[in-house]
Amino acid sequence: METILQSIIDPVKQIDSIERAAAILRAGGLVAFPTETVYGLGANALDRSAVRSIFEAKGRPQDNPLIAHIADYEDLKALSTNIPSQAKALCDRFWPGPLSLVLRSAGLVAPEVTGGLDTVAVRSPAHPIAQALIRSAGVPIAAPSANLSGSPSPTEAAHVWADLHGRIDCLLDGGPCSVGVESTVLDLVSDPPRILRPGGVTLDQIRTICPDAVYDPAVFRKLDAHETARSPGMKYRHYSPKTPVYIVDGPQNLFVQFIREKMKEYSRVAVLGYDEDLPFLSGVRAISYGPADRMDLLAKNLFSALRTLDQFDAQIIFARCPERSDRSAAVENRLMRAAGHQRIQLT
Ligand code: TXA
Ligand code: MG
């Protein structure tokens, strides 16, 4: 595998690296690249065998469709038909950025990208390296997150390296991702528009353009056996450290007391807490993912923290989760899925 260490301060070197990576994509290879949300594992979305190799490298179930990454709204017209007027307004407002739109597919991308659905998810990432790579490749890039299927999404090149070293052709290192959780996936084919996955763009922001937009039920709860997930990705366990995770809700004093009790039961307890919790957790394998009221930092640090926790050799992880709000939805959704929906309420 070729690892290209990007030098942000050396634009000449950077352009050269991006052109080399684009050539690998055009030749059917796999390139991991930074986006503002998480690192993506890219292949030419028009090349069936290249797209198939994404699924092999990740160990990803074949029926879980991929997002096609494009440079801007103009590129959308070739990929989708019956584009609703709301799509244009959303793109004007949020692209490039962390919003993926599910639209009617024009059938241009390889069938492996859409997993056999008649819809396609499309997004224009804001990261300058991602933008340059798409433009240089000259094709839409199919890209899931660049992690092994099931493990936390990668927010640094080192995470990609740990998961996919030896399985891909190139890794572009753009430093840590600024958003840290994946894009919001908004289904514009359903009426009203539905958020299938909360992310960098919130429901309230989307409602400025689509006032009737709603969350899909699978965003905040486990689907019952008889319900089918609208987004195939929703039915898989995700983002999970190998160690079992429980979300623990309640005030800080009860949380600290709870942890001390659990330490009598388990010899190796780990905690994912807030900055404010750490002084009260001396002697505990605890890490923080940010101050309780800084949703931007909690999102940015969450996946990296889950990876670190997995290296603690703990038997069980207890995690603090922000209260439900428009801005906390993405963090809560990822934590709930990391925890397999296991949640304890302290009173
Ligand atoms: O931020 C992101 O979106 C990152 C970066 C790399 O761009 N990508 C990403 O891709 O998170 P992935 O494959 O890990 O997640 C794509 C999600 C999955 O939950 C998938 O089921 C859903 O989008 N999806 C893709 N196409 C769909 C479609 N046609 N209908 C419904 N859901 C779809
Ligand atoms: Mg993923």
Side-chain angles (χ1 to χ4, degrees), residues 15 83 105 144 172 193 204 222-223 225 258 293 302 308 323 335 340:
I15 287 166
I83 303 173
S105 174
L172 289 171
D204 283 355
K222 200 173 178 168
L223 292 178
F258 172 86
D293 62 350
L302 175 64
T308 305
E323 270 177 40
L335 260 178

Side-chain angles (χ1 to χ4, degrees), residues 29-42:
L30 295 182
V31 173
F33 62 97
T35 82
E36 73 281 21
T37 58
V38 302
Y39 276 74
L41 177 57

Side-chain angles (χ1 to χ4, degrees), residues 27 216 325:
D216 188 83
S325 72

Side-chain angles (χ1 to χ4, degrees), residues 183-194:
S183 62
T184 302
V185 177
L186 179 68
D187 182 354
L188 284 180
V189 172
S190 70
D191 186 19
R194 264 173 200 250

Side-chain angles (χ1 to χ4, degrees), residues 38 58 60 64 144-147 151 153-154 182 197 238-239:
V38 302
K58 280 185 59 104
R60 180 175 175 115
N64 192 5
S145 48
N147 52 296
S151 73
S153 293
E182 302 87 340
R197 179 178 72 183
H238 245 212
Y239 317 118

Side-chain angles (χ1 to χ4, degrees), residues 270-329:
V271 170
L272 176 63
Y274 302 130
D275 286 358
E276 301 88 312
D277 300 331
L278 294 192
F280 300 94
L281 293 169
S282 55
V284 183
R285 291 173 176 81
I287 57 167
S288 156
Y289 64 128
D293 62 350
R294 286 291 304 273
M295 222 47 68
D296 56 337
L297 294 179
L298 296 177
K300 185 170 193 256
N301 297 328
L302 175 64
F303 286 139
S304 181
L306 288 174
R307 281 180 182 258
T308 305
L309 282 165
D310 234 0
Q311 288 159 6
F312 283 7
D313 186 36
Q315 294 158 293
I316 191 159
I317 298 169
F318 295 110
R320 296 258 269 157
C321 180
E323 270 177 40
R324 188 162 301 173
S325 72
D326 183 59
R327 293 182 57 242
S328 72

Side-chain angles (χ1 to χ4, degrees), residues 197-233:
R197 179 178 72 183
V201 175
T202 73
L203 177 61
D204 283 355
Q205 287 176 304
I206 286 169
R207 281 183 173 161
T208 61
I209 295 185
C210 307
D212 54 347
V214 293
Y215 285 123
D216 188 83
V219 166
F220 291 120
R221 66 177 176 81
K222 200 173 178 168
L223 292 178
D224 296 332
H226 68 274
E227 293 174 296
T228 45
R230 273 185 174 258
S231 178

